[in-house]
Amino acid sequence: MGVFPHAELPPPVAAVIEAIETDIIRGIILPSTRLIEDHLMEDYDAKRHVVRAALVELQRLGVVVKPPHIGARIRRFDAASLEALYHFRSVLHRAAVEAMPLPVAEARLAAVHAAAQAHAEATQSGDLIAIHRANMAFHRLFFGLCDNPYIEESIRLHDWLSFPARAYAITDQSALSRACEEHGQMVAAIERCDREALLSLALGHMVQARRIYEGKYLSR
């Protein structure tokens, strides 16, 4: 399954999902926001069955939760759940880096380098959904170097699960600049077969987005 599984859905459903993702990134849809079908139909000019299918997919990915008797909402993390999520993401990222065979084949290294460049170019475009997708594509290729499909799939799933926490960093220029710099450092560390640096970068790369979320939603 690709990094954007909903791309395989009918185009109207994928379009609504993309619109919801964009509004999360922009801060229009906030953590715990209730997603009311009638409002989404109006906002995105979509039919009810399309909106429902989009919500089902986002719930499957963990972006949307549906507590009993409350209705669909964007996932909100409290301090404990955020700590647990990022602890497990760290476990996964460490496992991926430790499993990566070094040196990396030239063609695969070139693909990771191209993905880092594509993300850097997207950040200059101001297209928020393009930045999000380019970032996810880079991570998919980078962690895919571990050649363990179970680790890769777990990382992909937890990238989506953490999207409601990571999304707000996409509009932060300082965080974007730092992410681009760290992507470049990851590529350089692969080139010189520096596993220790790769591990430090892979773990530290998650910190900025987490801090932004904590500052916005956990410090109030």
Side-chain angles (χ1 to χ4, degrees), residues 12-214:
V13 178
V16 169
I17 293 174
E18 181 175 311
I20 293 173
E21 289 177 82
T22 302
D23 281 349
I24 293 172
I25 293 168
R26 288 175 175 162
I28 296 171
I29 298 177
L30 301 175
S32 291
T33 296
R34 188 179 174 194
L35 300 174
I36 300 171
E37 288 182 7
D38 288 344
H39 294 175
L40 297 177
M41 289 167 62
E42 181 178 351
D43 290 345
Y44 305 134
D45 190 24
K47 296 184 182 298
R48 188 175 301 278
H49 74 278
V50 170
V51 167
R52 285 182 177 173
L55 292 178
V56 166
E57 175 66 4
L58 288 171
Q59 184 179 4
R60 186 185 70 80
L61 292 170
V63 175
V64 165
V65 294
K66 205 169 184 180
H69 315 300
I70 294 179
R73 293 177 181 269
I74 295 298
R75 181 182 293 275
R76 182 185 180 107
F77 298 97
D78 59 18
S81 60
L82 193 70
E83 173 63 28
L85 172 65
Y86 273 83
H87 170 73
F88 190 60
R89 291 186 75 209
S90 295
V91 170
L92 290 171
H93 291 190
R94 177 183 292 275
V97 171
E98 289 177 346
M100 286 180 187
L102 297 175
V104 170
E106 185 175 339
R108 298 183 74 185
L109 177 59
V112 176
H113 185 243
Q117 288 184 315
H119 175 255
E121 291 169 4
T123 64
Q124 299 300 314
S125 73
D127 184 333
L128 297 177
I129 202 71
I131 296 169
H132 165 49
R133 276 157 167 56
N135 184 59
M136 293 277 276
F138 171 81
H139 290 165
R140 178 173 178 264
L141 285 170
F142 174 76
F143 288 114
L145 296 175
C146 74
D147 289 336
N148 184 317
Y150 300 103
I151 296 175
E152 290 178 57
E153 179 68 3
S154 294
I155 289 175
R156 187 191 68 79
L157 291 174
H158 283 81
D159 275 351
W160 278 110
L161 186 61
S162 63
F163 173 67
R166 297 184 297 103
Y168 305 100
I170 297 174
T171 56
D172 186 295
Q173 289 303 312
S174 175
L176 282 179
S177 296
R178 180 170 174 176
C180 290
E181 181 180 344
E182 290 175 349
H183 288 172
Q185 290 170 352
M186 290 176 182
V187 173
I190 296 171
E191 289 178 327
R192 63 177 187 271
C193 298
D194 189 341
R195 196 181 304 276
E196 184 176 347
L198 276 177
L199 182 57
S200 177
L201 286 162
L203 298 181
H205 192 56
M206 297 182 285
V207 171
Q208 187 76 350
R210 176 179 176 175
R211 285 178 177 168
I212 289 172
Y213 185 87
E214 289 172 334

